[in-house]
């Protein structure tokens, strides 16, 4: 030590400077150099622990504490040890560490459990007066939000919403209480506060703002998902994923929620997202129930992708961690049902129900559902009545109620095959084929329905209704086939609808419509303005609705009439017998129709801008303003 006293002093100076600058990686290098000279230097060891914690090395920090237990007593590093255990999600170990420390300081109290730390925070906020009051209120609101989410119990303490963190926690509290609309409003307010607070800092970029808003947006998407707006939620979730936030916990929760929306669809996307839920450090960022939910969804995904061995391995691990949780058992039962082992599934449910009566109600409902499936199997085993219409109807109804559409279609298929061999072409055979086709069309199985409809149509090629159904089904799966079949449709001329026109016109509905139409026409005629030369006795021109050029009696404009009048009288004069050529008279006459935008009529104007295709050229007879003539000089008026 004596020979290195100079360098060691310089190293401590370096550590102090790095600590003030927040450069804990460089400080750690200097500390290690000191410990290389003296591995039991208590101050250097404590500095190393602090540097490791600041850099997120909680396991390494615990290793240093456990290796130097003689030098580092619990009263020295009790808080740091409990904090590392807490961050590693070893909550019970952290609590024991805290309880083993004689002097309970404020910072130790802040590491208590959710259900106990509520009272502790209240006491600390009431009795403490330092610079950490805002942080304690934020943590208190986080405790309330956690209780609301995980324990369904919480109380609104009227905490201020001065920061976006407090506002976000208030939103989570409301969401946990089921007040989704109010929670969304709080999240929007938190987003606004976050943007405002961050944009005030000139060093913060737009990417930094988006990264900070990611957790708020993910929670917004969660609310949308609970409200059934899955498309909107999925879009917002994927926006968060694209940002690649550094918070692995946020990524894991967001990816997990996308998987729950995908369910047994879009499995490829779910496989990519499930990797984010297994990132390094996730177990230190999420609550126990969150981690448990993620593991359950992983098991479900394995079941959907037919990875039975992996699914069973995950379920066994989940049951070991929490033997009383019913979800792993229910997934195991679903796996057995996929393998057609219904009896084994019922035995498993019965055994779990006996061992855990607190979960018996939900388990027994599942058992009833399985018994119903067994009842279907028993009914199908009765050969004497298996293909009777009443039995078939009962089986299809039961399977449909269980949302087992495949089994219901299988009932139709087997029955059709039976009657195909025993009574081909019979009324019951064709009736079953039609019902099967209608059932498949109803549940979106158009491709499967085409074979049934083709069979029906071949039995009766004059059945236009069946042909139309067949063309409709093929239009979504094979357009070429649909076009080919459409040639068999009859033309409109050959179709006879057998409609009695006289009977239709004399029906009650037609009489009412005629009376109503006559009344409307009468009102219209009375309210409208008739021409001055209107003669009610004369027959209206049948071509009055056609443009003049398209009328049969139109002969075009006569030419040369104007030329005949040129040259008569003095130069520039016009004949007094031709008033139609007098521009001053034509200008004073009213226009035959209102100009665009003139405001006539009762409709309210939507916009003052007239679209180009509606603009009309000015009337040919419009007059220009004459230039003012100069007054003759003289008198008081001047020019």
């Amino acid at each position: 030590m004596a020979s290195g006293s100079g360098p060691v002093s310089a190293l401590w100076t370096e550590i102090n400077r790095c600590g003030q600058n927040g450069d804990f990686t460089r400080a750690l290098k200097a500390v290690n150099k000191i410990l290389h000279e003296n591995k039991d230097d208590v101050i250097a060891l404590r500095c190393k622990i602090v540097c490791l914690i600041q850099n997120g090395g909680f396991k390494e920090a615990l290793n240093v504490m456990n290796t130097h237990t003689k030098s580092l007593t619990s009263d020295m590093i009790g808080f740091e040890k409990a904090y590392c255990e807490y961050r590693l999600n070893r909550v019970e170990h952290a609590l024991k560490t805290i309880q083993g420390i004689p002097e309970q300081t404020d910072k130790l109290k802040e590491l208590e459990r959710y259900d106990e730390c509520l009272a502790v925070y209240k006491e600390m906020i009431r009795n403490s007066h330092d610079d950490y009051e805002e942080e304690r209120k934020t943590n208190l609101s986080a405790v309330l939000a956690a209780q609301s989410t995980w324990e369904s119990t919480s109380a609104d303490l009227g905490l201020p919403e001065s920061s976006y963190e407090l506002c976000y926690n208030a939103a989570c509290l409301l969401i946990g209480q089921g007040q989704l609309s109010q929670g969304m409003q709080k999240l929007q307010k938190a987003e606004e506060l976050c943007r405002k607070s961050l944009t005030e800092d000139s060093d913060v970029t737009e990417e930094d703002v988006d990264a900070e808003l990611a957790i708020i947006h993910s929670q917004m998407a969660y609310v949308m998902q609970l409200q059934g707006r899955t498309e909107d939620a999925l879009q917002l979730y994927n926006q968060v994923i694209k940002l690649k936030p550094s918070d692995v916990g946020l990524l894991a929760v967001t990816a997990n929620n996308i998987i729950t929306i995908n369910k047994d669809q879009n499995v490829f996307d779910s496989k990519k997202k499930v990797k984010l839920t297994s990132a390094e450090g996730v177990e230190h960022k999420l609550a126990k129930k969150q981690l448990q939910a993620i593991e359950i969804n992983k098991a479900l995904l394995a079941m959907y992708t037919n990875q039975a061995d992996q699914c069973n391995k995950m379920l066994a691990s989940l049951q070991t961690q929490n033997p009383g949780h019913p979800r792993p058992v229910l997934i195991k039962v679903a796996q057995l049902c996929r393998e057609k082992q219904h009896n084994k599934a019922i035995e498993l449910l019965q055994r779990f129900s006996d061992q855990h009566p607190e979960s018996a109600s939900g388990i027994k409902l599942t058992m009833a559902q399985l018994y119903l499936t067994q009842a279907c199997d028993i009914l199908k085993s009765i050969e004497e009545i298996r293909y009777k219409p009443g039995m078939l109807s009962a089986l299809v109804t039961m399977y449909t109620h269980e949302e087992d559409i495949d089994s219901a279609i299988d009932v139709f298929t087997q029955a059709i095959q039976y009657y195909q061999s025993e009574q081909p072409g019979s009324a019951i055979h064709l009736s079953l084929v039609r019902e099967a086709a209608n059932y498949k069309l109803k549940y979106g199985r158009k491709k499967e329905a085409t074979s049934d409809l083709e069979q029906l149509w071949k039995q009766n090629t004059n059945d236009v209704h069946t042909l139309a159904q067949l063309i409709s089904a093929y239009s979504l799966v094979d357009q070429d086939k649909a076009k080919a079949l459409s040639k068999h449709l009859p033309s409109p001329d050959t179709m006879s609808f057998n409609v009695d026109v006289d009977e239709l016109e004399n029906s009650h509905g037609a009489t009412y419509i005629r009376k109503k139409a006559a009344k409307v026409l009468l009102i219209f005629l009375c309210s409208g303005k008739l021409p001055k030369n209107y003669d009610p006795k004369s027959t209206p021109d049948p071509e009055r609705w056609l443009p003049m050029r398209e009328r049969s009696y139109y002969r075009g404009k006569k030419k040369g009439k104007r030329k005949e009048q040129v040259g008569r009288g003095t130069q520039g004069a016009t004949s007094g017998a031709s008033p139609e050529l007098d521009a001053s008279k034509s200008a004073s006459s009213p226009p035959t129709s209102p100009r665009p935008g003139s405001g006539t009529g009762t409709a309210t104007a939507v916009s003052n801008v007239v679209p180009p295709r509606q603009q009309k050229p000015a009337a040919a007879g419009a007059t220009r303003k004459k230039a003012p003539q100069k007054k003759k000089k003289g008198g008081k008026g001047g020019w």
Side-chain angles (χ1 to χ4, degrees):
M1 274 294 286
S3 60
S5 58
V8 169
S9 177
L11 288 171
W12 280 116
T13 303
E14 175 74 7
I15 292 168
N16 184 48
R17 185 174 64 255
C18 291
Q20 291 177 353
N21 296 333
D23 190 354
F24 296 101
T25 302
R26 192 169 181 179
L28 184 60
K29 292 178 180 179
V31 168
N32 286 331
K33 290 179 181 180
I34 294 173
L35 289 172
H36 183 73
E37 297 292 332
N38 183 4
K39 64 179 181 179
D40 293 323
D41 189 326
V42 175
I43 299 176
L45 287 171
R46 294 188 67 180
C47 287
K48 181 174 183 177
I49 291 168
V50 170
C51 290
L52 289 170
I53 291 173
Q54 291 289 345
N55 288 334
F58 305 113
K59 286 184 180 179
E60 294 85 348
L62 273 178
N63 289 335
V64 173
M65 298 178 208
N66 295 329
T67 305
H68 299 85
T69 52
K70 293 182 179 179
S71 304
L72 302 172
T73 58
S74 59
D75 57 338
M76 287 184 186
I77 44 85
F79 170 77
E80 287 79 6
K81 184 178 181 181
Y83 181 75
C84 289
E85 289 170 335
Y86 169 75
R87 290 301 302 270
L88 292 171
N89 223 13
R90 303 173 189 175
V91 183
E92 296 301 327
H93 291 85
L95 187 62
K96 288 179 182 178
T97 300
I98 293 170
Q99 291 171 344
I101 301 172
E103 185 180 356
Q104 295 291 308
T105 60
D106 284 349
K107 65 180 182 180
L108 288 170
K109 291 179 181 178
E110 293 188 38
L111 291 172
E112 297 277 349
R113 291 179 294 199
Y114 284 136
D115 54 351
E116 297 175 10
C117 70
L118 195 62
V120 174
Y121 271 125
K122 289 180 184 178
E123 179 188 354
M124 292 176 64
I125 291 171
R126 188 165 50 247
N127 299 326
S128 300
H129 301 283
D130 52 25
D131 296 334
Y132 297 101
E133 183 178 358
E134 184 82 5
E135 283 78 359
R136 291 193 180 100
K137 287 181 179 178
T138 302
N139 289 345
L140 177 59
S141 65
V143 172
L144 292 171
Q147 279 190 327
S148 176
T149 302
W150 306 118
E151 300 176 10
S152 301
T153 57
S154 62
D156 189 355
L157 300 181
L159 292 170
E161 297 174 7
S162 52
S163 66
Y164 69 89
E165 293 95 341
L166 281 162
C167 197
Y168 172 81
N169 289 336
C172 294
L173 173 64
L174 290 168
I175 294 165
Q177 294 173 342
Q179 302 180 50
L180 301 180
S181 299
Q182 296 88 331
M184 179 63 85
Q185 291 175 2
K186 293 285 185 186
L187 288 172
Q188 290 168 349
K189 182 181 176 182
E191 180 185 22
E192 184 180 349
L193 288 171
C194 182
R195 286 188 185 278
K196 185 177 179 181
S197 62
L198 293 179
T199 51
E200 290 174 355
D201 189 346
S202 58
D203 295 332
V204 176
T205 64
E206 189 64 30
E207 289 76 13
D208 296 333
V209 175
D210 290 337
E212 193 69 21
L213 287 171
I215 189 169
I216 299 175
H217 289 161
S218 184
Q219 195 72 348
M220 283 180 172
Y222 173 67
V223 174
M224 293 174 185
Q225 185 177 354
L226 293 180
Q227 291 174 332
R229 299 161 54 194
T230 52
E231 290 298 325
D232 295 334
L234 199 59
Q235 185 178 0
L236 199 50
Y237 280 139
N238 282 315
Q239 286 179 11
V240 173
I241 295 290
K242 285 179 182 178
L243 288 173
K244 297 181 180 179
S246 58
D247 188 346
V248 292
L250 172 61
L251 275 173
V253 171
T254 305
N256 173 76
N257 292 351
I258 291 174
I259 293 170
T260 62
I261 292 176
N262 289 340
K263 295 183 180 178
D264 57 345
Q265 305 297 319
N266 204 359
V267 177
F268 179 74
D269 179 65
S270 294
K271 280 187 172 182
K272 289 196 299 182
K273 296 297 188 296
V274 79
K275 294 178 182 178
L276 298 175
T277 65
S278 306
E280 185 179 357
V282 168
E283 67 276 10
H284 310 320
K285 299 288 289 184
L286 301 181
K288 184 178 179 181
K289 290 187 177 180
Q290 289 174 308
L291 294 170
Q292 193 176 61
I294 288 174
E295 291 302 313
I296 287 172
N297 288 332
K298 285 181 182 177
L300 278 170
L301 183 60
M303 184 186 75
Y304 289 144
T305 52
N306 298 318
Q307 297 174 296
D309 293 339
Q310 185 178 352
C311 178
N312 291 330
K313 190 182 295 183
M314 291 178 179
L315 294 174
S317 175
L318 284 167
Q319 284 182 293
T320 303
Q321 296 171 16
N322 194 348
H325 201 294
R327 284 286 179 85
V329 176
L330 292 174
I331 297 173
K332 178 65 177 176
V333 167
Q335 180 68 36
L336 290 171
C337 290
R338 288 168 71 94
E339 298 168 359
K340 306 297 182 182
Q341 301 184 46
H342 295 95
N343 290 330
K344 195 172 181 180
I346 291 174
E347 290 175 6
L348 178 61
L349 288 171
Q350 186 64 59
R351 186 164 59 252
F352 185 83
S353 177
D354 295 339
Q355 294 173 353
H356 304 280
E358 69 279 1
S359 303
S361 58
I363 294 298
K364 288 181 178 178
L365 286 173
T366 307
M367 289 174 66
Q369 187 176 2
L370 289 178
Y371 279 128
L372 187 61
T373 305
Q374 279 193 326
C376 292
D377 294 338
I378 293 170
L379 289 174
K380 286 195 294 185
S381 66
I382 306 174
E383 293 294 336
E384 294 82 1
I385 59 173
R386 181 177 181 180
Y387 299 115
K388 295 290 182 181
M391 177 63 72
L392 296 173
S393 177
L395 286 170
V396 170
T397 302
M398 292 166 71
Y399 279 128
T400 304
H401 179 72
E402 294 299 309
E403 298 182 359
D404 190 354
I405 308 303
D406 291 331
S407 295
I409 291 175
D410 187 57
V411 169
F412 276 118
T413 303
Q414 292 182 17
I416 290 170
Q417 289 174 353
Y418 170 79
Y419 284 104
Q420 178 70 37
S421 60
E422 299 294 329
Q423 304 175 29
S426 63
I428 188 171
H429 174 220
L430 297 179
S431 176
L432 275 173
V433 174
R434 182 170 294 283
E435 289 299 323
N438 291 336
Y439 187 86
K440 292 170 185 176
L441 289 173
K442 181 179 179 181
Y443 289 96
R445 308 292 180 87
K446 293 185 180 294
K447 190 174 183 179
E448 299 175 37
T450 53
S451 60
D452 296 328
L453 291 170
E454 278 188 339
Q455 185 179 350
L456 282 173
W457 184 59
K458 287 176 182 177
Q459 290 287 333
N460 182 10
T461 54
N462 295 324
D463 187 351
V464 179
H465 176 71
T466 301
L467 179 59
Q469 280 187 306
L470 182 58
I471 293 171
S472 176
Y474 266 125
S475 65
L476 296 176
V477 295
D478 190 346
Q479 292 189 358
D480 293 335
K481 185 72 173 177
K483 288 179 181 178
L485 286 170
S486 63
K487 296 177 181 178
H488 296 280
L489 287 170
S491 63
D493 298 334
T494 60
M495 296 178 69
S496 176
F497 296 101
N498 297 322
V499 176
D500 190 339
V501 178
D502 295 332
E503 184 181 354
L504 185 63
E505 286 186 345
N506 294 325
S507 64
H508 174 73
T511 305
Y512 171 76
I513 291 171
R514 280 203 305 274
K515 288 181 178 179
K516 187 174 181 181
K519 185 178 179 181
V520 172
L521 181 60
L522 181 63
I523 294 171
F524 173 75
L525 289 174
C526 293
S527 61
K529 290 184 178 180
L530 297 173
K532 293 180 180 180
N533 59 348
Y534 171 70
D535 184 3
K537 295 180 181 180
S538 64
T539 304
D541 182 5
E543 297 184 14
R544 63 191 181 279
W545 308 117
L546 296 175
M548 182 61 73
R549 290 179 176 274
E550 297 179 14
R551 299 183 190 182
S552 59
Y553 48 81
Y554 178 69
R555 296 292 180 268
K557 293 183 179 180
K558 294 182 180 180
K559 298 180 180 180
K561 196 172 184 180
R562 186 182 180 92
K563 291 181 180 180
E564 293 173 358
Q565 298 177 356
V566 177
R568 296 182 182 179
T570 57
Q571 185 177 2
T574 58
S575 173
S578 302
E580 69 274 11
L581 299 180
D582 189 345
S584 62
K585 292 183 179 180
S586 63
S588 62
S589 60
T592 57
S593 62
R595 295 183 183 179
S598 61
T600 58
T602 59
T604 305
V606 176
S607 174
N608 289 326
V609 178
V610 182
R613 289 182 64 85
Q614 295 181 15
Q615 291 174 356
K616 298 179 181 179
T623 57
R624 294 184 181 178
K625 256 188 175 179
K626 294 183 178 179
Q629 295 179 352
K630 293 182 180 180
K631 291 183 179 180
K632 292 184 178 180
K633 192 173 181 181
K636 296 181 180 179
W639 284 100

